[in-house]
Amino acid sequence: MNSDKSKMNNISLLGSGARRIVYDLGNGYVLKVAKSKYGIKSNKREVNTYRSSPPPLRKRLAEIIDYGNQYRWLIMKKHTRKFPNSSKHKRNLYKLRIMFKSNGIRAYEVLTRRGKPNYENLRVNRNGKIVVIDYGNFKFHR
């Protein structure tokens, strides 16, 4: 019982948006909990995008390790390295968007409406490669 309680103490609120609440599980993963039916849709879209993407693109999406049967929650790998404000990374982001598009995926919300990186949804991994941490608005197109 005490070990379960100590595990619960490591959980902290990371952020809250219009559709979902994100908790840091304290073990290198985050829990995204839907606040509404739109949050459930976002979770479902992330799971489907992750599972359906070809391996080169899947490496650019934060890994989903588990999710609820009705998409009310999902567990995703936590990435903490901020997306750098550099011309090199911006060029790589535009290339990544083209990669998604050529694979039938519209990568919404990686750029702002003004065409600048959406820093809240982007991180870099240990190798400096871009990782998208919020892809609940991505859409498949034919």
Side-chain angles (χ1 to χ4, degrees):
M1 179 88 169
N2 286 343
S3 64
D4 288 341
K5 202 172 195 180
S6 66
K7 287 179 188 173
M8 293 299 289
N9 289 337
N10 290 334
I11 296 174
S12 61
L13 178 68
L14 267 184
S16 180
R19 299 175 179 189
R20 301 184 285 182
I21 302 171
V22 182
Y23 297 95
D24 184 344
L25 296 177
N27 60 358
Y29 294 92
V30 297
L31 172 68
K32 293 184 175 184
V33 179
K35 291 167 53 174
S36 65
K37 66 180 179 179
Y38 298 108
I40 290 170
K41 285 182 179 184
S42 293
N43 282 349
K44 183 176 182 178
R45 196 170 286 143
E46 283 189 346
V47 168
N48 290 335
T49 301
Y50 185 79
R51 294 177 76 198
S52 302
S53 293
L57 285 180
R58 192 176 306 142
K59 286 193 272 185
R60 301 311 195 88
L61 300 170
E63 177 187 13
I64 295 174
I65 63 160
D66 200 6
Y67 57 93
N69 63 355
Q70 294 185 351
Y71 304 101
R72 294 188 189 281
W73 58 268
L74 64 81
I75 298 175
M76 178 181 277
K77 184 172 181 179
K78 182 180 180 186
H79 291 271
T80 57
R81 288 180 179 87
K82 301 280 186 190
F83 183 85
N85 184 7
S86 72
S87 56
K88 174 188 157 194
H89 280 88
K90 289 175 187 174
R91 279 192 308 273
N92 288 338
L93 178 59
Y94 298 126
K95 289 178 188 175
L96 181 60
R97 266 189 88 217
I98 291 167
M99 269 178 54
F100 277 110
K101 190 172 183 176
S102 65
N103 281 276
I105 301 169
R106 298 215 176 169
Y108 290 107
E109 294 190 4
V110 295
L111 296 176
T112 66
R113 290 185 177 155
R114 293 184 172 174
K116 298 184 188 244
N118 184 348
Y119 293 96
E120 290 183 13
N121 294 346
L122 302 169
R123 298 290 183 271
V124 291
N125 65 17
R126 289 186 181 122
N127 300 326
K129 301 285 185 189
I130 299 167
V131 178
V132 182
I133 61 168
D134 183 349
Y135 44 99
N137 286 325
F138 281 25
K139 289 188 172 65
F140 284 91
H141 63 91
R142 304 280 171 216

